[in-house]
Amino acid sequence: MKQYNLGFLGFGNVGRALARLLLAKSGELREQYGVEWRVAGVASRRLGWLTSAAEAAAGFDASALLSDQFFKDTYSPSNSIGAWLQDARPDVVFETTSLNPETGQPAIDYLSAVLESGAHAITANKGVIVHGFRELDALARSTGKRLLFESTVLDSAPVFSLFRETLPAAKLRGFSGVFSSTTNVIIETMEAGRSFEEGLKTAQDLGVAETDPSHDVDGWDATVKVCALASVLMNIPLKPNEVVRQGIRELSPKKLQAARTAGAPFKLMARARLGSDGKLVATVRPEQVPASDPLGNVRGTSLAVHFELDMMPGLTITSHRPNLQSTAYGMLADFINAVRE
Amino acid sequence: MKQYNLGFLGFGNVGRALARLLLAKSGELREQYGVEWRVAGVASRRLGWLTSAAEAAAGFDASALLSDQFFKDTYSPSNSIGAWLQDARPDVVFETTSLNPETGQPAIDYLSAVLESGAHAITANKGVIVHGFRELDALARSTGKRLLFESTVLDSAPVFSLFRETLPAAKLRGFSGVFSSTTNVIIETMEAGRSFEEGLKTAQDLGVAETDPSHDVDGWDATVKVCALASVLMNIPLKPNEVVRQGIRELSPKKLQAARTAGAPFKLMARARLGSDGKLVATVRPEQVPASDPLGNVRGTSLAVHFELDMMPGLTITSHRPNLQSTAYGMLADFINAVRE
């Protein structure tokens, strides 16, 4: 049995869902993996940098998650990422701070500090992977710690670990996917004859639209995911401005209804493919996809990715209506995979 | 760099496709995984038990795969599995002998001998998993060797390694799938207004129908796959006679066409689900599935499985038109996974 000190860097919806999941699965973690844990540090814009010394560790329970008061009463303040890491001495840090699609900062600097302190770095932040994968991956290798990020692209659906663990010596030639549930929900609402605004409202009510809807609607969200997949799975450090990108603003209900009726509905399709010249061509744009295609068939908030491999004609992974718990589970799986080896 | 002695137990289409793949990927195996290999033994009904002493190892190349003569000229005969293992001293054995859905024999006995000799056992034989998983898995653990079988259910699509490596601490509540390409091809042919016999002929021409078509047509093939998945992923040793099974013989072109027109085509659906009483209920039978469902949407020789997990609402894996090379790749991946740890 080993006890792990956990640090939460960012403690919003995903961080709290992960804490709930750790509590719910604590028996299984102990029995199946010999893993015990305590929350050694929590940091967020609201809470500041808080740590709890091992000797003073209060019993962290489900009720603690309902309010910030528990942490304020029980934990001590630090004043920077460096001091926080030194005071909390985490073995594993879960990073869920807000996405910065342009630079991935400050999360990249935080995770550098985490890895340098000797902790495993687990992130749900796709900006980090797009802008910092090479640097952080090299740092993780040099410190002997893990950088894991399963929740960044298809929520909990195992995409990165699939290639890392289950598809050795297979070459990825290209991939395509429906990566944005917000645009999918908006398109389906408009197919039903309602307006763009009603579609956006529905996506917001479902809790899938990002804070800034233009991020989804203009295809940035899907673009960042394409870059993350290309960087990690194809070892090509694709940047968002290298992706041909077009959002869904020019689609009208009439056009969408006609496409659906013709059996080839519009989807915001993300694609990347190695050309015969060895160059990667990546696009994110509305495309008509036959409803009989697994990607044309992705409904509502579900997400899917299709891989073209040298070793098999095609492999599609569909994640059905992933929710907050699914995203948190991706991070829990990363935690177990980081420590069980 | 380590050199592995390989043994082929069964050397038909899949075994030869694997040998071709090992040759094609030998550079990558050396560079990425530090793996070199030689074929120390080949055994099949046609060839008998043949081995090649390390000192006498002839250069095994692609041309050798085209005829049996190479092995007859270069290798020495043994007279039983025991003598073969002793003479060849394989580090890894690839088992692809014919399926025995009732007992899994003699492959189970062969693989016991393989594991006891200190070699990793890799099989594409689902009968072995249904009837011998517990015994062989325990034996593998006691010898410190691996029993791997990724190609048994969805060809190369990583189903078993998905759970073993990428979905820790997730509980499988049930699964459903389209596991039989032969029945899928027959049904689609009949949907197009042609006869059952024409459908069967098409499946045979595509090379997907098993030697005995009744094995596919009466649902045995799908049933054995349900049992393999339940045994390994849910730890429930389900046997074929515990599955409610109905084949596709009673479906007429008229009935199939009507269902397809109504948007809910028939599929030979395989299902297993834990009831509220903790009992597993498993069925294989023709069911109408909405064409908008990922499983209703599986076409031609493609295969798919849908998992219901406590941690995420649903995860579907679709393998598009897997071929002989895909099946062989599943075994190559098992080989790499067995030796890279």
Side-chain angles (χ1 to χ4, degrees):
Chain A
M1 200 68 62
K2 183 169 172 200
Q3 195 179 63
Y4 292 89
N5 280 341
L6 307 183
F8 286 82
L9 201 44
F11 202 58
N13 289 337
V14 175
R16 282 170 206 259
L18 173 59
R20 271 194 298 275
L21 199 54
L22 282 161
L23 284 167
K25 289 267 179 188
S26 56
E28 239 171 294
L29 287 172
R30 211 170 15 242
E31 286 147 34
Q32 283 185 32
Y33 301 98
V35 164
E36 291 188 329
W37 55 271
R38 52 183 289 278
V39 177
V42 176
S44 76
R45 235 171 279 168
R46 277 220 318 253
L47 292 166
W49 302 96
L50 295 177
T51 67
S52 160
E55 314 78 62
F60 171 79
D61 68 17
S63 61
L65 298 171
L66 300 175
S67 80
D68 292 345
Q69 205 53 48
F70 168 85
F71 295 104
K72 287 184 180 157
D73 291 347
T74 327
Y75 283 49
S76 320
S78 298
N79 59 19
S80 69
I81 176 79
W84 184 77
L85 287 167
Q86 213 157 20
D87 295 342
R89 302 198 169 281
D91 302 298
V92 179
V93 171
F94 300 105
E95 190 269 320
T96 58
T97 66
S98 328
L99 172 68
N100 177 335
E102 278 85 33
T103 68
Q105 292 292 12
I108 294 174
D109 287 346
Y110 290 164
L111 290 171
S112 291
V114 164
L115 287 166
E116 271 164 5
S117 81
H120 297 296
I122 294 172
T123 178
N125 194 329
K126 48 193 178 286
V128 164
I129 302 308
V130 173
H131 298 285
F133 174 65
R134 288 221 163 161
E135 166 197 342
L136 291 172
D137 188 53
L139 183 56
R141 284 168 202 274
S142 76
T143 60
K145 295 294 160 183
R146 303 296 300 269
L147 168 74
L148 295 173
F149 41 83
E150 196 56 90
S151 291
T152 52
V153 172
L154 223 60
D155 288 272
S156 55
V159 173
F160 295 108
S161 52
L162 191 82
F163 279 82
R164 201 173 60 229
E165 308 291 346
T166 79
L167 295 171
K171 277 207 188 74
L172 186 58
R173 291 183 171 150
F175 60 85
S176 48
V178 175
F179 294 156
S180 159
S181 38
T182 297
T183 56
N184 222 22
V185 168
I186 294 175
I187 287 173
E188 287 185 9
T189 307
M190 290 167 78
E191 282 171 351
R194 289 181 288 143
S195 69
F196 177 95
E197 287 68 28
E198 286 172 287
L200 180 57
K201 175 78 170 49
T202 304
Q204 282 164 338
D205 291 348
L206 287 167
V208 296
E210 304 255 340
T211 330
D212 176 3
S214 67
H215 183 68
D216 290 313
V217 167
D218 294 327
W220 283 111
D221 177 64
T223 295
V224 171
K225 288 173 174 172
V226 168
C227 295
L229 287 173
S231 299
V232 178
L233 301 182
M234 303 177 88
N235 200 25
I236 297 172
L238 186 73
K239 290 290 174 287
N241 61 12
E242 298 171 290
V243 178
V244 176
R245 184 185 47 77
Q246 187 192 328
I248 63 162
R249 291 192 199 265
E250 282 163 41
L251 298 171
S252 64
K254 195 176 260 179
K255 193 171 177 182
L256 291 170
Q257 282 171 312
R260 167 66 68 188
T261 306
F266 274 98
K267 299 282 163 193
L268 184 66
M269 284 294 292
R271 295 186 188 274
R273 201 169 202 293
L274 278 175
S276 50
D277 58 354
K279 277 200 184 159
L280 190 72
V281 177
T283 55
V284 168
R285 59 190 173 201
E287 288 181 27
Q288 283 189 262
V289 190
S292 59
D293 184 290
L295 297 182
N297 201 21
V298 174
R299 306 300 293 250
T301 58
S302 297
L303 303 171
V305 62
H306 177 78
F307 295 112
E308 287 170 61
L309 299 151
D310 64 341
M311 289 291 102
M312 52 183 104
L315 187 67
T316 309
I317 316 282
T318 309
S319 178
H320 299 265
R321 302 174 305 282
N323 52 33
L324 210 53
Q325 180 182 281
S326 320
T327 308
Y329 170 71
M331 302 190 87
L332 177 70
D334 282 344
F335 169 38
I336 298 173
N337 284 328
V339 303
R340 74 168 159 178
E341 283 152 340
Chain B
M1 200 66 64
K2 183 170 172 202
Q3 195 181 62
Y4 292 90
N5 280 341
L6 307 184
F8 286 81
L9 202 43
F11 203 58
N13 289 338
V14 175
R16 281 170 206 259
L18 174 59
R20 269 194 298 275
L21 199 55
L22 282 161
L23 284 166
K25 289 267 180 188
S26 56
E28 240 171 295
L29 287 172
R30 212 173 13 243
E31 286 147 34
Q32 284 184 30
Y33 301 98
V35 164
E36 290 188 331
W37 55 270
R38 52 181 289 277
V39 177
V42 176
S44 76
R45 235 172 279 169
R46 278 222 316 254
L47 293 167
W49 302 97
L50 294 177
T51 68
S52 160
E55 314 79 61
F60 171 80
D61 68 17
S63 62
L65 297 171
L66 299 175
S67 80
D68 292 345
Q69 205 52 48
F70 169 84
F71 295 104
K72 286 184 180 157
D73 291 347
T74 328
Y75 283 48
S76 321
S78 298
N79 57 20
S80 68
I81 176 80
W84 185 77
L85 289 167
Q86 214 158 19
D87 295 342
R89 303 198 168 281
D91 301 299
V92 179
V93 171
F94 299 105
E95 191 270 319
T96 58
T97 66
S98 330
L99 172 67
N100 177 334
E102 278 85 31
T103 68
Q105 292 293 12
I108 294 174
D109 287 345
Y110 289 164
L111 291 171
S112 291
V114 165
L115 288 165
E116 271 164 5
S117 80
H120 297 296
I122 294 172
T123 178
N125 194 329
K126 48 193 178 286
V128 163
I129 302 309
V130 174
H131 298 285
F133 174 65
R134 287 221 165 162
E135 167 198 341
L136 291 172
D137 188 53
L139 183 57
R141 284 168 203 272
S142 77
T143 60
K145 295 295 160 182
R146 304 295 299 270
L147 168 72
L148 295 172
F149 40 84
E150 196 56 90
S151 291
T152 52
V153 172
L154 223 61
D155 287 273
S156 54
V159 173
F160 295 108
S161 52
L162 192 83
F163 279 82
R164 199 174 62 229
E165 309 292 346
T166 78
L167 295 170
K171 277 207 188 73
L172 185 59
R173 291 182 172 150
F175 60 85
S176 47
V178 175
F179 294 155
S180 160
S181 38
T182 297
T183 56
N184 222 21
V185 168
I186 294 175
I187 287 173
E188 288 185 8
T189 307
M190 290 168 78
E191 282 172 352
R194 289 183 287 143
S195 68
F196 177 95
E197 286 68 28
E198 285 173 288
L200 180 57
K201 175 75 170 49
T202 305
Q204 282 165 338
D205 291 348
L206 287 168
V208 296
E210 303 255 340
T211 330
D212 176 3
S214 67
H215 183 68
D216 290 313
V217 169
D218 294 328
W220 283 112
D221 177 65
T223 296
V224 170
K225 288 172 174 172
V226 169
C227 295
L229 287 174
S231 299
V232 178
L233 301 182
M234 304 177 88
N235 200 24
I236 296 173
L238 186 73
K239 290 290 175 286
N241 60 11
E242 298 170 293
V243 178
V244 176
R245 183 184 47 76
Q246 188 192 327
I248 63 161
R249 291 191 199 266
E250 282 163 41
L251 298 171
S252 64
K254 195 175 257 178
K255 193 171 176 182
L256 290 170
Q257 282 172 313
R260 166 66 67 186
T261 307
F266 274 97
K267 298 282 163 194
L268 184 67
M269 285 293 293
R271 294 185 188 275
R273 201 168 202 295
L274 278 175
S276 49
D277 58 355
K279 277 199 183 159
L280 190 71
V281 177
T283 56
V284 168
R285 60 191 172 201
E287 287 181 26
Q288 282 189 263
V289 190
S292 60
D293 184 290
L295 296 183
N297 201 20
V298 174
R299 305 301 292 252
T301 58
S302 297
L303 303 170
V305 62
H306 177 78
F307 295 111
E308 288 171 59
L309 298 151
D310 64 341
M311 288 292 101
M312 53 184 103
L315 188 66
T316 308
I317 316 283
T318 309
S319 178
H320 298 266
R321 301 176 305 284
N323 51 33
L324 210 53
Q325 180 182 281
S326 320
T327 309
Y329 171 70
M331 302 191 87
L332 177 70
D334 282 344
F335 169 38
I336 298 172
N337 284 328
V339 304
R340 73 169 160 178
E341 282 153 339

